[in-house]
Amino acid sequence: VLVPEERSFLRLVTATLLCSCYAVGLAVATPYKRYEDDILAVATNLVLLLVFLGGSWTTLFDAIEEQSPGQGKAEAILGWPDTDAIVIPMAVLVCAALAIFLAGAFVAARRLARIPTIRLVSTKQQPELTLGKGQTWHLFNSHIWSTGQDAVAVIKNELQQLLPGIKVFLDVDDLEDIGALESYIGRSLGILFFLSKGYFRSKECPPASAVTP
C-alpha cells in the first residue's frame, strides 16, 4: 500500500490524480481497435474520477466537522451544509455523465457502421491486420509508372477506406531508393500486380515478380 489507510484523504487525492492521468492517456493513445471501446473506456474513467472527487470532498467535510463539531466550519469552507448535499448531486452527475457517454458511443458506433468497410462474416468486425517481424507494409503495389500510376493510387485509397489500418506501399509515397526495390517487396506481406500495358517490358517490374513467394 503506497498510502496508509489512516490517510484516507491523501489516498483519494492520489487516486484522483492517477485516474486523471490514465483518462488522458486513454484519450491520446486510443488503445482499442473499435472507436466505441475507446469512448467507453474514457467515459468509465471520467465517471470514476467523479466518484473519487465526491469521496474526497465528503472525507474533507467529515474531517473538518470532527475537528470543529457544530461550528459550521465545513459549510463555511466547502459551501455544503452536510454530506448528503455532496453525495446526491455527485450521484446524479455520475449517472448523467455515464448516460451521455453511452449515448455518444452508440451514435459513434452507428455512424461507423454506415461506412462501407470489409468485415468478417463470423464476427461482423473488421479483420485484424498484423505484420510479421521485419515487415512494414501489408501490400506492395507492383505497377508500371507510365500506364498504372493513377490506377494504383486509386486502389490504395480504396483499400485504406475499406480496411482502415492497412499499410500499402506505393512508390510515390514510400520509395526512397529504386535500387532497394527487392528490399521493399521483402518487407511487404503480399504483392498486388497491376498488369497494365507495358508491365512486362518494364525493367523494374519483372524483378518484383521474381522475389514474390
Side-chain angles (χ1 to χ4, degrees):
V1 180
L2 296 178
V3 182
E5 187 174 354
E6 56 269 16
R7 297 189 176 182
S8 56
F9 182 70
L10 181 58
R11 295 180 74 175
L12 285 169
V13 171
T14 303
T16 301
L17 292 174
L18 290 175
C19 189
S20 301
C21 294
Y22 187 65
V24 172
L26 282 174
V28 173
T30 58
Y32 299 102
K33 296 176 183 177
R34 297 193 303 173
Y35 180 68
E36 56 268 29
D37 290 340
D38 287 318
I39 293 180
L40 188 59
V42 174
T44 52
N45 273 275
L46 290 179
V47 167
L48 186 60
L49 177 60
L50 292 175
V51 172
F52 284 143
L53 285 174
S56 300
W57 293 335
T58 303
T59 302
L60 184 59
F61 187 96
D62 290 337
I64 295 174
E65 281 294 296
E66 288 178 5
Q67 293 293 327
S68 306
Q71 297 182 22
K73 284 189 176 181
E75 182 179 359
I77 294 173
L78 299 177
W80 291 293
D82 52 40
T83 54
D84 287 342
I86 302 174
V87 174
I88 295 175
M90 288 300 296
V92 173
L93 185 59
V94 165
C95 293
L98 188 57
I100 291 172
F101 277 108
L102 287 175
F106 177 76
V107 172
R110 290 288 301 273
R111 179 179 59 83
L112 290 175
R114 296 192 185 99
I115 300 175
T117 56
I118 296 175
R119 298 174 183 269
L120 299 175
V121 175
S122 57
T123 62
K124 306 299 182 184
Q125 299 296 325
Q126 297 172 6
E128 181 179 353
L129 301 176
T130 59
L131 289 170
K133 184 178 180 181
Q135 293 179 327
T136 307
W137 300 279
H138 296 101
L139 187 66
F140 181 96
N141 268 331
S142 178
H143 65 284
I144 183 172
W145 293 347
S146 59
T147 59
Q149 186 70 63
D150 293 339
V152 293
V154 172
I155 291 173
K156 177 179 179 178
N157 182 62
E158 291 294 323
L159 283 173
Q160 289 177 331
Q161 293 184 40
L162 293 172
L163 283 172
I166 189 172
K167 296 181 179 179
V168 181
F169 180 95
L170 187 61
D171 51 13
V172 294
D173 299 329
D174 306 295
L175 183 65
E176 296 178 355
D177 180 8
I178 188 62
L181 190 61
E182 293 187 10
S183 173
Y184 294 132
I185 297 172
R187 288 158 55 193
S188 301
L189 186 61
I191 184 168
L192 171 67
F193 297 98
F194 189 76
L195 305 180
S196 59
K197 183 178 180 181
Y199 179 87
F200 290 107
R201 291 195 299 272
S202 170
K203 294 181 179 180
E204 289 78 21
C205 295
S209 60
V211 299
T212 306

